[in-house]
Amino acid sequence: VASLPDAATASKEDKKKLEEEVSSLKFTVEKLESERDFYFGKLREVELICQRNDGAEAAALIDNITRVLYAEDPAPTHA
């Protein structure tokens, strides 16, 4: 049976570990959100280019690009 001071110390250590894990997870979320925003911006730029350049000579290329941009993920993977 752990004495009261030992239990309090263990509890403080557990709390510190959990706080570090939360901090790490928050940092990871911020990085992922930043990366998501970066790539969303790139995709948005491509979308605008396709909308502005709908000439006959670029039609096939634009069709292919827009097909990729608007395709839905048939089977999302969870990593």
Side-chain angles (χ1 to χ4, degrees), residues 2-78:
S3 66
L4 221 40
D6 291 340
T9 302
S11 178
K12 287 180 183 179
E13 289 174 5
D14 290 342
K15 182 179 177 186
K16 181 176 168 92
K17 286 180 184 177
L18 289 172
E19 287 172 346
E20 289 172 357
E21 185 175 351
V22 167
S23 178
S24 174
L25 291 171
K26 284 181 180 180
F27 178 73
T28 300
V29 167
E30 288 173 7
K31 282 183 9 181
L32 289 171
E33 287 175 342
S34 175
E35 187 173 344
R36 176 206 59 202
D37 293 345
F38 173 79
Y39 285 107
F40 179 81
K42 294 288 184 183
L43 289 172
R44 182 67 180 136
E45 287 180 46
V46 170
E47 180 182 37
L48 293 173
I49 290 169
C50 290
Q51 289 172 351
R52 286 190 303 259
N53 296 303
D54 56 0
E57 68 279 351
L61 176 61
I62 291 171
D63 286 344
N64 289 333
I65 292 171
T66 53
R67 190 176 314 115
V68 170
L69 286 174
Y70 297 114
E72 293 185 24
D73 188 356
T77 58
H78 301 284

